[in-house]
Amino acid sequence: MKYCFGVDVGGTTMKVGFFRADGNLEEKWEIKTRTENEGAAILPDLTASLEQKRSDLGIDQNDIIGIGMGIPAPVKRDGIIRMTPNLGWNYKEAKKELEELTGLPVFITNDANAAALGEMWKGAGAGHANLLMITLGTGVGGGAIVDGHILTGAHGAAAEIGHMHMSEDETDFCGCGNHGCLEQYSSATGMVRVAKKLLAASDEASSLRDGEVTAKSILDGVKAGDALCCKSADISFRYLASAIASAAALLDPEICVVGGGVSKAGQVVLDYLGKYYRDRAFQPDKDLEFTLATLGNDAGIYGAAKLILDEMGIEA
Amino acid sequence: MKYCFGVDVGGTTMKVGFFRADGNLEEKWEIKTRTENEGAAILPDLTASLEQKRSDLGIDQNDIIGIGMGIPAPVKRDGIIRMTPNLGWNYKEAKKELEELTGLPVFITNDANAAALGEMWKGAGAGHANLLMITLGTGVGGGAIVDGHILTGAHGAAAEIGHMHMSEDETDFCGCGNHGCLEQYSSATGMVRVAKKLLAASDEASSLRDGEVTAKSILDGVKAGDALCCKSADISFRYLASAIASAAALLDPEICVVGGGVSKAGQVVLDYLGKYYRDRAFQPDKDLEFTLATLGNDAGIYGAAKLILDEMGIEA
């Protein structure tokens, strides 16, 4: 039996999965991401942890196919990272360095792309070769799978659906420096921003006035029939559905997988997309299937493992 | 020397190119597209014309690599067309039928995709493997090249940038049945629609009141400093730039090639895109290069030829 590692590098922890080449997740664990000193310890820490696990399990180095890795930055096939504030790296030849440290083949992709590939392989998108994944968290992340492979783009920055330009009238800045990006309305943070604007604009009664305004409290309010919550969620999900309709006109996927913290609200999210998507979608895309992600925080390690298996030509 | 045919099938004529396998266009000609009787004569007419040309030139059948074809409908790799009003076909196994008629390998793609591939190969996009092509004509056509290959999509309907959803407030219908599609503002027809609305809404003096309102007369007015023309073109190109910015966030191309009748206005089109694109584009996409198409009506036959060469594994 052959094995591989799938790694999902975040700003606080690295999630690691040890997979059999047939796709079975044997073990998973986390290690701290030490971002100080321009993240100099990240790859050596990872190498030590992988080597320890391999040795503990008594697996021969020759039976390890390689390492797939998702990182929070744009990255191309060369595995060179130009900038990632979350990890402290500036210019970093991460693929080459990790290959030298471990003696194993390494392939790297963006973390949202890895999650999309993971959901296609073992999650909500299984059986579909053309998939769009939307992650509704602090931002709106996106990953696109085309004919079974990650859509990478010229700068490794494809499928950045959170930064589609959705409004000419927005005066607030997005984190990216522009005005009117999707994630200003439809991320967890964006949903709160929209609701707070509505709260400030009137004295309308709302459950949101009694506690912290979060994406969860807004969607709980929707479920309870709170009118202001409904108005707020309408705005957030109409923008999201409109962006997905435009993304479908461009990418023509079979399925749209919705993940991230906001998706934990469940069916209400799919109901909103059902309500607003179809009227805005181009004819061939109207029957796009929407589904909730199923792998949760493991999507990234699954996708990273699938990436290295694909790149090494292993069917799984 | 080996050869191939590149065919661009339109609703009135089929454009045909006879190419050397190194990419040199040896001869080109047109034949009538007979759409009556559900387009039954189209493939037999084409077959007869190709055979005649081969015979006239004294080329051995064994030296013909195959036929690439662009058609005005969504089409996947299987070369089956579900519906194309322009040609009269309903369900049509076009690839299979043409292979049986000619005894040659056939690959088919959408005509806008073929044009994009043509511009990448021998036109304005030469040297770029990730390209977005926008064709500003009666509609807004789109074709996307990813890593040197056509982005096809699950239904063969990818890169339909003309049907990105750009406005919630539009009351007029798009030809596709939706409201607020890009081509309602930025196609030649859409530009006229926008200008006529402005003309009707005020008594403002404008050169457009003296003759026919066309995309050309609007852009001629812009060049002459006509205020209403400038206002109108502002609206049309702001929507176009916004759509391209969102498309770039998703596809992350290196270059955007602008073709079609409207692009004949030249530099003014690029100036407008320069004015509105950058502020709306995500950081990694801000330096997207804009350029005018150079192959004109031949883009489709070049792209079709490149498609068959690629599919048959011939470097050109």
Side-chain angles (χ1 to χ4, degrees):
Chain A
M1 180 55 69
K2 299 279 182 180
Y3 303 87
C4 71
F5 292 106
V7 185
D8 184 8
V9 183
T12 335
T13 60
M14 292 184 257
K15 299 183 188 69
V16 190
F18 181 66
F19 290 83
R20 278 205 322 239
D22 64 6
N24 196 64
L25 175 57
E26 298 280 284
E27 290 210 30
K28 63 173 177 169
W29 67 100
E30 298 191 357
I31 53 184
K32 196 170 171 330
T33 307
R34 292 197 287 153
T35 56
E36 60 269 26
N37 298 323
E38 298 188 344
I42 293 174
L43 296 180
D45 285 355
L46 176 62
T47 302
S49 177
L50 300 183
E51 174 54 24
Q52 183 68 51
K53 182 63 64 177
R54 186 193 65 71
S55 157
D56 288 352
L57 294 172
I59 308 283
D60 193 287
Q61 170 88 349
N62 293 323
D63 290 331
I64 312 274
I65 291 159
I67 304 164
M69 192 157 75
I71 60 147
V75 56
K76 294 195 291 180
R77 279 183 58 83
D78 59 13
I80 297 174
I81 286 85
R82 263 77 192 174
M83 237 273 279
T84 170
N86 291 336
L87 304 182
W89 291 344
N90 293 310
Y91 179 90
K92 184 85 170 172
E93 299 191 4
K95 173 183 158 73
K96 186 162 163 271
E97 286 188 31
L98 190 58
E99 284 180 340
E100 287 171 2
L101 284 165
T102 62
L104 291 168
V106 173
F107 278 92
I108 306 183
T109 190
N110 172 266
D111 53 2
N113 293 342
L117 191 63
E119 289 286 346
M120 182 202 80
W121 189 34
K122 297 288 180 182
H128 296 278
N130 291 280
L131 174 152
L132 177 64
M133 179 159 182
I134 315 277
T135 306
L136 302 173
T138 313
V140 175
I145 306 296
V146 172
D147 296 337
H149 300 287
I150 289 169
L151 180 70
T152 301
H155 310 87
E160 287 281 4
I161 194 169
H163 298 282
M164 288 178 73
H165 183 256
M166 300 308 295
S167 170
E168 287 292 326
D169 305 322
E170 184 58 56
T171 51
D172 289 356
F173 281 100
C174 177
C176 78
N178 287 353
H179 300 274
C181 291
L182 176 66
E183 70 177 37
Q184 290 187 274
Y185 308 96
S186 308
S187 64
T189 323
M191 289 179 67
V192 169
R193 192 185 71 95
V194 170
K196 285 188 170 168
K197 286 207 164 189
L198 289 178
L199 287 167
S202 84
D203 291 330
E204 187 178 342
S206 168
S207 56
L208 295 181
R209 297 193 192 274
D210 306 330
E212 198 188 351
V213 181
T214 64
K216 183 173 186 313
S217 69
I218 296 164
L219 290 173
D220 284 346
V222 167
K223 292 174 191 169
D226 184 290
L228 190 138
C229 289
C230 290
K231 229 177 287 179
S232 186
D234 262 352
I235 294 170
S236 294
F237 283 101
R238 208 189 55 216
Y239 276 116
L240 181 61
S242 175
I244 297 175
S246 288
L250 291 170
L251 299 171
D252 185 16
E254 298 152 43
I255 189 167
C256 178
V257 178
V258 185
V262 174
S263 73
K264 290 182 185 152
Q267 188 61 36
V268 64
V269 171
L270 300 182
D271 291 346
Y272 266 116
L273 293 174
K275 180 173 173 189
Y276 289 122
Y277 171 79
R278 210 181 147 82
D279 284 350
R280 290 162 179 77
F282 188 43
Q283 191 62 46
D285 311 313
K286 282 192 192 288
D287 293 327
L288 179 65
E289 183 183 344
F290 286 92
T291 184
L292 298 171
T294 57
L295 297 179
N297 288 333
D298 289 346
I301 58 173
Y302 273 98
K306 176 65 170 157
L307 176 68
I308 185 69
L309 294 173
D310 283 350
E311 292 287 352
M312 301 307 288
I314 313 264
E315 290 278 340
Chain B
M1 181 54 68
K2 299 279 182 180
Y3 302 88
C4 70
F5 292 106
V7 185
D8 184 7
V9 182
T12 335
T13 60
M14 293 184 257
K15 298 181 188 70
V16 190
F18 182 66
F19 289 83
R20 279 205 322 238
D22 64 5
N24 197 63
L25 175 56
E26 298 280 284
E27 290 210 29
K28 62 173 177 170
W29 67 100
E30 297 192 359
I31 54 184
K32 197 170 167 334
T33 307
R34 292 197 287 150
T35 57
E36 60 270 24
N37 298 323
E38 298 188 344
I42 294 175
L43 296 181
D45 285 356
L46 176 62
T47 302
S49 177
L50 300 183
E51 175 54 23
Q52 184 68 51
K53 182 62 66 175
R54 185 192 66 72
S55 157
D56 288 353
L57 294 173
I59 308 282
D60 193 287
Q61 170 88 349
N62 293 324
D63 289 332
I64 311 275
I65 291 159
I67 304 165
M69 191 157 74
I71 60 146
V75 57
K76 295 195 290 181
R77 279 182 59 83
D78 59 13
I80 297 174
I81 286 85
R82 264 77 193 175
M83 238 274 278
T84 170
N86 292 337
L87 304 183
W89 292 345
N90 294 309
Y91 179 89
K92 185 85 171 172
E93 300 192 4
K95 171 183 159 71
K96 186 162 163 272
E97 287 188 31
L98 191 59
E99 285 180 339
E100 286 170 2
L101 285 164
T102 61
L104 291 169
V106 173
F107 278 91
I108 306 183
T109 191
N110 171 266
D111 52 3
N113 293 342
L117 192 62
E119 289 286 346
M120 183 201 81
W121 190 33
K122 296 288 180 184
H128 296 278
N130 291 281
L131 173 152
L132 177 64
M133 178 157 183
I134 315 277
T135 306
L136 302 173
T138 312
V140 175
I145 305 297
V146 172
D147 295 337
H149 300 287
I150 289 169
L151 180 70
T152 301
H155 309 87
E160 287 282 3
I161 193 169
H163 298 282
M164 289 178 74
H165 183 256
M166 300 308 295
S167 170
E168 287 292 323
D169 305 322
E170 185 58 56
T171 52
D172 289 355
F173 280 99
C174 177
C176 78
N178 287 354
H179 300 274
C181 292
L182 176 66
E183 70 178 36
Q184 291 187 272
Y185 308 96
S186 308
S187 64
T189 323
M191 288 180 67
V192 168
R193 192 185 71 94
V194 170
K196 284 188 170 169
K197 286 206 162 189
L198 289 178
L199 287 167
S202 84
D203 291 329
E204 186 178 343
S206 169
S207 55
L208 295 180
R209 297 193 191 276
D210 305 330
E212 198 188 352
V213 180
T214 63
K216 182 174 187 312
S217 69
I218 296 164
L219 290 174
D220 283 347
V222 167
K223 291 174 191 169
D226 183 290
L228 191 139
C229 289
C230 289
K231 231 178 284 178
S232 187
D234 261 351
I235 294 170
S236 294
F237 283 101
R238 207 190 54 216
Y239 275 115
L240 181 61
S242 175
I244 297 174
S246 288
L250 291 169
L251 299 171
D252 185 16
E254 296 151 46
I255 189 166
C256 178
V257 178
V258 185
V262 175
S263 72
K264 290 183 186 152
Q267 187 60 36
V268 63
V269 170
L270 300 182
D271 289 347
Y272 266 116
L273 293 173
K275 181 173 172 188
Y276 289 121
Y277 171 79
R278 210 181 147 81
D279 284 350
R280 289 161 181 78
F282 188 43
Q283 190 63 46
D285 311 314
K286 282 191 192 286
D287 293 327
L288 179 65
E289 181 182 344
F290 286 93
T291 182
L292 299 171
T294 56
L295 297 181
N297 289 332
D298 289 346
I301 58 172
Y302 273 98
K306 175 65 171 159
L307 176 67
I308 186 67
L309 293 173
D310 283 350
E311 292 287 351
M312 301 307 288
I314 314 264
E315 290 276 342

